[in-house]
Amino acid sequence: MNNFIKRCLLLISITILFLSTFSQSVSQSWAGYLKPIATDSIKLVFNLQFENDVLTGATLDSPDQFVYDIKVSKFLLQNDTLQLAIMNLGASYIGFFQSEDFISGTFLQAGRKTPLNLIPAQPVAPPSRPQTPAPPYPYVEEEVDMNDHKGEPNIKGTLTLPQDGNIKATLILLTGSGWHDRDETIFEHKPFKVIADYLTRNGYAVYRYDDLPPKVFAQSTTFDFEKNAQTVVKYFQQDERTKNHPVGLLGHSEGGLIAFIAAANNSSIDFIISLAGPSEKMNDVLLYQVEKLNRAAGFTDVEIEETLELQKKGNQLIIKEKSTKEAKSKLGKLMDEYTKKWSTEQKKRYNFTPQSIMANIQIMTSPWYLTVMKIEPVKFIKKVKCPVYALHGEKDLQIYYEANLTLIDKNLPKNTFRKIESFPNLNHLFQTCEIGTISEYAEIEETISPVVLENILLWLDSFIY
């Protein structure tokens, strides 16, 4: 063998050895349809990542709900069994490979098991959300976890700081009702990430944090959320970078109510911004929602009256009842009383199936619902003395802008520096919209109106300086 051939063979062997040191990355998507009720189905897509045939990660997409890239917390593929756990949803999946292109399995959530079979699928492209910022960012971004070490759950979030360290003030963002991540992600929109990016580019430090872990969150109330907000306020009032600057709260929806409660209880909070925050009692807020959303869905006047009557009686029962066990029993009887009058078609139209009735009773007897129904926001608003900016969209079908802004303006102490403002053609998320329905949230590409962002900045700058 001549030297040239030897050199070629040596080169080939080195190349093979070099290539073999790199792992082979492969992604697979598996899709199936979950049927929470007989008349409905939800598409779920699991995206599995492999390195050299070893499962190294997974995410979950729910395109029908416009939710994507949910992290799978635990994953295991052993022999023909696939096990996945999604802690943020309190859910898990176990499946068995019946063949190369079919997995039979069960999806478990909130103690309920539902069959879910999977077949190979193409990855799902998320909807366009052009306002969502992407790195590299022209500011500092860091993870900040805080725990008072007294057995309280850890608060985990993201802090963004101006690159030059010159901080005008610090804003703490408070999410609305229901479990949310730090970006308040909804239908793949990330309004809190957009707000944080915009304000930090303009000289403000912003902290946004995840709600408590789902199991803890399920047992928490509005006052627990307010307690968490106070923990965060105290942290930034003591942090070397932010303690010599104003610290305030920006809350969306129920987060706006939490901001008012926090400021009423803590005079050291320097300002609050309420984005569609309620000042009416929750009973009035929910009755408004039922009427407006059902009317937008095409319900007749008679149908709206029926659903309003049931909602009103259910709310009154919850407000008066002290025992959760009794509340569940009485709610069950109340719903039975109404559903017996309705035809099968009406039950479907009102979404009053046995499963949805159970889900409604569970929500209405949760610690959060039992508490929030009894809160009187005006009592707290009357005690707020710091500057307040209250904003609302005029096409908000979840919280009535005129009634709630009027109550805020009327009940804030007279010497309070305030700005009360409504915006035409904006919905509950402050998107430019046509109608204001929840289904529109997902269809609209805009995450939050630039006009709202500009007005928040103008108000902050006018107050800070």
Side-chain angles (χ1 to χ4, degrees):
M1 186 181 299
N2 64 40
N3 289 336
F4 175 76
I5 295 174
K6 284 181 181 179
R7 285 197 300 272
C8 287
L9 289 174
L10 179 61
L11 181 61
I12 291 169
S13 67
I14 290 173
T15 302
I16 292 172
L17 177 64
F18 179 73
L19 289 173
S20 69
T21 62
F22 285 85
S23 60
Q24 299 296 310
S25 299
V26 177
S27 295
Q28 295 180 4
S29 294
W30 293 79
Y33 288 87
L34 196 68
K35 294 184 73 66
I37 58 175
T39 56
D40 196 12
S41 63
I42 299 171
K43 184 177 182 179
L44 297 182
V45 181
F46 287 104
N47 305 294
L48 309 180
Q49 289 84 48
F50 294 88
E51 296 284 345
N52 292 332
D53 296 328
V54 176
L55 182 61
T56 58
T59 59
L60 170 64
D61 298 330
S62 180
D64 293 338
Q65 298 172 303
F66 289 86
V67 179
Y68 300 84
D69 203 31
I70 303 169
K71 183 180 178 182
V72 173
S73 317
K74 296 180 181 179
F75 42 85
L76 178 65
L77 178 57
Q78 195 169 39
N79 299 324
D80 292 329
T81 303
L82 174 66
Q83 297 180 65
L84 306 169
I86 309 100
M87 289 183 65
N88 281 349
L89 301 180
S92 61
Y93 178 75
I94 182 167
F96 306 93
F97 280 84
Q98 305 297 330
S99 67
E100 288 186 356
D101 55 6
F102 184 75
I103 302 173
S104 65
T106 303
F107 189 83
L108 176 65
Q109 187 175 31
R112 185 178 174 200
K113 295 180 179 179
T114 309
L116 177 62
N117 299 326
L118 305 174
I119 60 173
Q122 292 296 317
V124 181
S128 174
R129 300 292 182 248
Q131 282 179 287
T132 302
Y137 306 117
Y139 47 80
V140 177
E141 182 181 64
E142 63 180 62
E143 296 298 292
V144 175
D145 296 357
M146 55 193 74
N147 191 332
D148 63 6
H149 304 293
K150 295 179 182 176
E152 298 295 330
N154 196 16
I155 296 171
K156 299 182 178 181
T158 300
L159 173 66
T160 50
L161 296 154
Q163 190 79 51
D164 60 8
N166 293 323
I167 299 168
K168 297 177 182 178
T170 300
L171 287 92
I172 298 158
L173 310 190
L174 308 176
T175 61
S177 302
W179 193 93
H180 289 283
D181 64 16
R182 66 195 66 186
D183 297 326
E184 205 186 35
T185 303
I186 177 170
F187 300 124
E188 241 357 66
H189 288 290
K190 297 181 182 294
F192 276 15
K193 187 169 186 176
V194 173
I195 291 171
D197 177 83
Y198 181 81
L199 292 179
T200 307
R201 288 171 185 266
N202 286 280
Y204 290 87
V206 182
Y207 183 69
R208 60 193 199 273
Y209 59 97
D210 299 330
D211 286 346
L212 297 172
K215 285 186 179 179
V216 180
F217 185 86
Q219 300 302 315
S220 301
T221 71
T222 303
F223 294 116
D224 293 312
F225 308 146
E226 185 256 344
K227 182 181 178 182
N228 292 338
Q230 299 287 13
T231 298
V232 180
V233 167
K234 184 178 178 181
Y235 179 94
F236 287 107
Q237 286 176 338
Q238 296 175 348
D239 187 283
E240 288 297 325
R241 297 167 296 182
T242 57
K243 69 179 184 180
N244 295 321
H245 306 281
V247 176
L249 303 172
L250 181 153
H252 174 239
S253 195
E254 189 190 5
L257 171 60
I258 293 165
F260 279 116
I261 296 173
N265 292 334
N266 182 356
S267 60
S268 72
I269 291 173
D270 293 300
F271 61 90
I272 62 174
I273 299 172
S274 171
L275 299 176
S279 55
E280 291 185 300
K281 294 178 182 179
M282 196 56 65
N283 175 62
D284 298 320
V285 170
L286 292 176
L287 292 177
Y288 171 80
Q289 281 187 23
V290 169
E291 179 183 358
K292 291 298 181 181
L293 293 175
N294 285 350
R295 194 172 297 282
F299 280 33
T300 65
D301 288 342
V302 173
E303 290 172 331
I304 289 169
E305 195 58 41
E306 284 181 333
T307 51
L308 274 174
E309 188 178 290
L310 177 55
Q311 182 74 53
K312 190 180 296 182
K313 287 186 176 181
N315 288 348
Q316 289 170 349
L317 189 158
I318 289 299
I319 291 167
K320 292 177 182 177
E321 193 55 61
K322 294 181 180 179
S323 163
T324 302
K325 185 177 180 181
E326 277 297 307
K328 283 185 177 180
S329 175
K330 290 180 180 179
L331 273 176
K333 289 176 183 177
L334 176 65
M335 292 191 181
D336 282 344
E337 177 190 330
Y338 272 80
T339 53
K340 281 177 183 177
K341 304 175 187 176
W342 296 338
S343 66
T344 303
E345 185 58 39
Q346 280 178 302
K347 290 176 186 176
K348 286 182 182 177
R349 184 166 172 78
Y350 299 165
N351 192 26
F352 266 80
T353 63
Q355 292 89 346
S356 65
I357 289 172
M358 285 178 62
N360 280 331
I361 291 174
Q362 194 71 24
I363 292 169
M364 293 179 74
T365 56
S366 68
W368 170 76
Y369 199 95
L370 288 167
T371 301
V372 79
M373 288 301 296
K374 297 170 185 177
I375 292 175
E376 297 183 32
V378 165
K379 285 186 177 181
F380 297 98
I381 292 170
K382 286 181 175 180
K383 296 178 182 178
V384 174
K385 296 179 181 178
C386 67
V388 173
Y389 184 20
L391 306 79
H392 223 115
E394 294 182 11
K395 288 193 175 179
D396 187 337
L397 300 188
Q398 291 187 247
I399 299 177
Y400 182 37
Y401 83 93
E402 191 168 8
N404 286 273
L405 288 182
T406 299
L407 276 175
I408 292 170
D409 195 28
K410 180 181 176 182
N411 288 284
L412 277 172
K414 296 301 180 185
N415 61 344
T416 306
F417 178 75
R418 94 279 298 272
K419 183 178 182 181
I420 310 294
E421 188 169 18
S422 66
F423 295 82
N425 301 318
L426 299 188
N427 60 21
H428 188 62
L429 300 187
F430 293 88
Q431 300 168 301
T432 306
C433 67
E434 294 293 329
I435 306 168
T437 56
I438 292 174
S439 60
E440 249 188 335
Y441 301 169
E443 298 164 3
I444 299 169
E445 289 192 358
E446 180 182 78
T447 296
I448 182 170
S449 166
V451 173
V452 169
L453 295 174
E454 290 165 9
N455 276 265
I456 291 172
L457 179 63
L458 285 170
W459 182 79
L460 282 168
D461 283 349
S462 70
F463 159 65
I464 300 302
Y465 292 104

